[in-house]
Each structure stands twice: as structure tokens, then as C-alpha cells.
Amino acid sequence: MSTTALGLSLLWPGRVLLAECDPMGRRVLPGFMADRMRESAGPGLLGLAMAVEVGQEAAIPLKEYVVPIVDDGHVELLHGVRDPRHGTRLAPVWRRLAEALTAWDGDVIADLGRVGGADTPTELLKAADAVVMILKPTLAQVDAANPRLDTLKGLVGEHVTLGLGLIVDGPYRAAEVERALDVPVLAELPSSPVDARVLSDGARPRLTFRTSLLVRSLEHLGRRLHTAVGSSDSMGSSARSRAARSKPLAEAGAHE
């Protein structure tokens, strides 16, 4: 999920904030950003949670906790917790963070990790303009996705786009997954480990990376989400276009 969220952010048609909200830990700083950071990453989400503990009713100064991913400031990052044991400190921050992300000047893509457990940031899902679940077309992952999608349907609003991002690495076709889960596949993403490692681990890109099927598929998904979120706003969505997914765009998963 983190690879997809980062790829969408880097290719998003507009200013965007990538918020790592997976209670199980961050991926961007020790991966893609490992050799790209030119300044301190700051305290990130954990620092934000600690600030909320101290001033429970004060406005969250979100801008103080984000760092640029690219030099022009087009893409920014709120990095997640390093130690999953700190995930227990995040529960009080989700409601306040959802309010701050909704008010953010720009779009937001929130990586929520694997959803369905007690630590799922449901407040971010409720605030979403669109929610995308990333999975592979295997029996195990489709089976795991089913109850989680039922939960998501009960959390998101009627004008929220709920869809699947299908990593093409399994025996079933997109149409079969759609029928089994009764949720549309918004995009099929190739299983391309060499290109994916550019995003997940900061590996050196191949000369063909920019025109690779992975990049083109992520661009297609981003355009589709951007259009869907704009449509939901015109129908009276409670929040402005926020980088698809959880008003924050909300990218979730049903697998490890």
C-alpha cells in the first residue's frame, strides 16, 4: 500500500500531502527518502500525537510537522511512527488529524495500512472523499477483503468513491474480483518489483522507469481519483477535493 500511495503522490496532478497513518509504522523515510532528505524530518505523526496530548483543544499546526518530498514543495510528507509500539498513542489524534487534513490547502493522500483491526483510524475513513483498497487477485486476499469492505461501506458517505487497486499478481481477473466483492476495480497495477523498489526502497530507477507500465498505471489511477473526488465535491461532499481517498484519499489494504 505504501508504494502505491507514494507513487500516486509523486504523480498527482496538483499539490498534495502524503500522510502516513498506518499504526504499524512508516515506510517512506527509511525507503524512498533515505538518500533524499536534505533537512531534519522532524517528529512527524508521533510528534503531532504528543502535541495533541498536551493541548487537546488547540488547533493542530499541521504545517509544522510536514516535510517536502520534492524540492518544489509540490509533494509533502507527514511521516508515520517508526515503532509500532507507539501506535497506541495515535488513537486520540485521529479525529483532530481528520479535521486538520480536511482543512489542508491542497489534496491529501492518507496511507492507512491494513484496515479492519481495532487500531484502524476510522475517523480518517469517515472524512474521506474516496477510499481505495489495494490487494492482489488471490483467494486469500479477496477473502480477507470481503469483511473489511463491508466495514468500509458502513463508514464512508454515499458520495464517497470506494474502489479497488488490483496488483496483477494472482490467478483471478479484475472482472472476477469485482463480482466477488461487489466493488469496482479502479485500476490494475503491474507486479513490477524492479520499478516498485524505486518507490519502496529508493532504488536507482531504470532509464525506462518514467514510461514504465507501473508509472503509467499509477497516473491513470490518480487521474481517475482526481476526477471522482471533483465530482463528489460538486454533488455536495462535506469536504473539498483531498487527494482522493480519505479526504484524505485514504488508501487501505486487506493484506500484510
Side-chain angles (χ1 to χ4, degrees):
M1 283 98 57
S2 298
T3 299
T4 306
L6 175 60
L8 279 172
S9 299
L10 293 172
L11 298 166
W12 194 256
R15 185 186 175 205
V16 64
L17 169 65
L18 171 59
E20 285 189 298
C21 300
D22 183 353
M24 294 308 295
R26 67 193 187 190
R27 291 291 304 275
V28 177
L29 277 188
F32 182 79
M33 296 296 293
D35 296 323
R36 290 176 169 85
M37 287 299 299
R38 298 183 179 179
E39 58 185 74
S40 170
L45 181 59
L46 180 60
L48 193 61
M50 295 171 66
V52 168
E53 290 175 358
V54 174
Q56 295 187 3
E57 298 305 323
I60 293 179
L62 184 58
K63 184 65 178 176
E64 298 178 11
Y65 294 87
V66 306
V67 294
I69 295 181
V70 295
D71 291 339
D72 63 4
H74 168 77
V75 186
E76 295 176 285
L77 171 71
L78 173 66
H79 66 81
V81 296
R82 177 173 178 266
D83 188 339
R85 291 173 295 183
H86 290 147
T88 57
R89 304 186 66 172
L90 299 179
V93 81
W94 295 135
R95 178 183 62 82
R96 304 280 304 285
L97 180 58
E99 294 170 354
L101 293 178
T102 300
W104 183 255
D105 182 19
D107 292 330
V108 177
I109 292 176
D111 178 8
L112 307 188
R114 184 175 182 175
V115 299
D119 59 356
T120 297
T122 56
E123 289 84 354
L124 296 183
L125 289 166
K126 291 176 182 177
D129 283 331
V131 179
V132 179
M133 177 173 285
I134 306 298
L135 74 160
K136 294 179 181 180
T138 65
L139 182 58
Q141 292 199 10
V142 170
D143 181 66
N146 211 344
R148 290 169 171 81
L149 286 168
D150 284 343
T151 299
L152 289 176
K153 290 174 182 177
L155 289 172
V156 301
E158 61 178 296
H159 296 309
V160 171
T161 297
L162 176 60
L164 307 173
L166 206 61
I167 299 173
V168 186
D169 184 18
Y172 299 106
R173 295 173 298 174
E176 294 173 304
V177 175
E178 286 184 334
R179 285 197 298 270
L181 297 177
D182 194 27
V183 174
V185 172
L186 300 180
E188 294 184 73
L189 306 172
S191 178
S192 178
V194 172
D195 291 324
R197 277 196 291 272
V198 175
L199 301 171
S200 63
D201 301 318
R204 185 183 181 89
R206 300 185 294 179
L207 292 177
T208 57
F209 175 74
R210 190 60 185 82
T211 57
S212 66
L213 181 57
L214 176 61
V215 169
R216 287 185 282 119
S217 298
L218 288 169
E219 287 179 328
H220 169 73
L221 177 57
R223 287 194 301 270
R224 189 164 184 181
L225 287 169
H226 196 267
T227 300
V229 171
S231 298
S232 71
D233 287 344
S234 66
M235 291 189 296
S237 175
S238 61
R240 301 174 8 193
S241 162
R242 229 131 244 41
R245 296 187 265 226
S246 157
K247 229 153 248 157
L249 170 102
E251 180 164 293
H255 61 285
E256 298 291 354

